[in-house]
Amino acid sequence: MNGEPVFLRAALDYAARGLPVFPCVPRDKIPATKRGFHDATTNPATISRWWRATDCYNIGIRTGAGSGVWILDVDGNDG
């Protein structure tokens, strides 16, 4: 794993902890897959394929009922 790009290594680490991940447009929160968060997976082969295309993708983590993870994300000047 040490020779892998940083974002790929992080995405695989999240997935190994049971958190389904998906790629997001670099420097944004927009999903980079057709089905967005519905494409989230813990499958290392799929994750490797996504991040080998470009290591610039941000990492999205599926939240809510699909993963059991809940997040409060406050954007803007007050965030």
Side-chain angles (χ1 to χ4, degrees):
M1 247 199 203
N2 290 339
E4 293 170 337
V6 176
F7 285 102
L8 171 57
R9 215 176 16 225
L12 289 169
D13 184 56
Y14 288 137
R17 295 168 190 262
L19 297 169
V21 299
F22 59 95
C24 290
V25 173
R27 306 181 133 229
D28 209 324
K29 296 179 182 180
I30 299 169
T33 64
K34 288 184 180 183
R35 296 180 51 228
F37 72 89
H38 294 288
D39 287 328
T41 186
T42 57
N43 182 301
T46 301
I47 293 166
S48 293
R49 187 180 73 243
W50 284 335
W51 269 273
R52 289 206 194 284
T54 179
D55 191 47
C56 296
Y57 284 141
N58 279 348
I59 301 169
I61 297 174
R62 184 168 182 165
T63 59
S67 67
V69 175
W70 298 91
I71 304 293
L72 174 62
D73 181 15
V74 182
D75 292 321
N77 293 335
D78 296 329

